[in-house]
């Protein structure tokens, strides 16, 4: 039995699933997310990074100088979990923490120049891997996939 068929059998997903459509969609999305995260973790492992750490750097870069609480909210994670990720990234010199000039008790996060240089070097390879992973879908199918996923994410954000 191939790994794909085994996953489908174990979780009741795939063509011919007898699950309610929303349950099948949830399990399919969960399995996809887990497989994508594992695959990216494998790519990042040689540099001692994880997908969660990369996601935090992405969020911090996009947000400018968020607080720890703002970064945790962006990732949909706990303050404690993100604090642990931040500590690891500070040790790796990929993030820095500085006091907020307006409220010295609050800490702000920012990506370092070292972080920017690191991602510039590896982005092309990671983007090629992503293109390969989603290579079974046409551009139109990818657009539909993103639109449908965005709708579910928006609904969860509104809940």
């Amino acid at each position: 039995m191939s790994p794909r068929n085994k996953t489908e059998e174990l979780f009741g997903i795939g063509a011919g699933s007898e699950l309610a459509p929303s349950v099948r969609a949830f399990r399919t999305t969960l399995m996809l997310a887990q497989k994508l995260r594992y695959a990216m973790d494998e790519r990042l492992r040689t540099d001692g990074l994880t997908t969660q750490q990369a996601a935090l750097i992405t969020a911090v870069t996009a947000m400018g100088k968020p607080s720890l609480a703002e970064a945790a909210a962006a990732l949909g994670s706990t303050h404690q979990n993100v604090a642990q990720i931040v500590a690891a990234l500070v040790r790796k010199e990929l993030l820095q923490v500085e006091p907020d000039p307006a409220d010295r008790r609050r800490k702000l996060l920012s990506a370092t120049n070292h972080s920017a240089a690191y991602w510039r070097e590896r982005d092309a390879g990671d983007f090629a891997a992503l293109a390969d992973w989603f290579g079974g879908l046409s551009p139109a199918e990818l657009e539909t996939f993103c639109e449908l996923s965005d709708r579910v994410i928006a609904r969860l954000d509104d809940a």
Side-chain angles (χ1 to χ4, degrees):
M1 182 181 313
S2 75
R4 179 172 176 219
N5 290 336
K6 185 177 183 180
T7 298
E8 289 176 357
E9 183 178 310
L10 286 172
F11 293 95
I13 60 177
S17 173
E18 295 181 11
L19 293 171
S22 58
V23 175
R24 179 181 173 203
F26 173 80
R27 288 185 184 180
T28 300
T29 303
L30 184 63
M31 291 312 305
L32 175 61
Q34 289 178 333
K35 288 178 180 290
L36 287 170
R37 186 171 178 175
Y38 179 82
M40 186 54 76
D41 280 346
E42 284 296 305
R43 289 188 57 77
L44 294 168
R45 182 168 283 117
T46 57
D47 291 339
L49 292 173
T50 68
T51 304
Q52 259 317 80
Q53 291 171 339
L56 178 59
I57 293 169
T58 299
V60 166
T61 301
M63 296 171 79
K65 288 191 170 193
S67 69
L68 187 60
E70 291 167 333
L75 286 183
S77 189
T78 65
H79 184 278
Q80 182 179 1
N81 185 44
V82 172
Q84 291 173 346
I85 297 170
V86 167
L89 292 172
V90 166
R91 283 191 303 274
K92 295 172 186 179
E93 300 179 350
L94 296 171
L95 278 186
Q96 59 188 14
V97 180
E98 32 189 301
D100 183 342
D103 178 355
R104 308 277 303 158
R105 294 169 296 174
R106 191 170 107 134
K107 304 294 183 198
L108 300 180
L109 310 176
S110 60
T112 63
N113 291 335
H114 175 67
S115 179
Y118 170 79
W119 293 109
R120 270 193 308 274
E121 284 186 29
R122 72 167 293 134
D123 273 350
D126 290 341
F127 293 169
L130 295 175
D132 180 57
W133 298 343
F134 286 94
L137 302 177
S138 71
E141 289 170 326
L142 283 169
E143 185 64 29
T144 300
F145 174 83
C146 291
E147 288 173 3
L148 295 173
S149 297
D150 289 345
R151 285 175 33 199
V152 175
I153 292 167
R155 190 163 178 97
L156 289 168
D157 285 346
D158 291 343

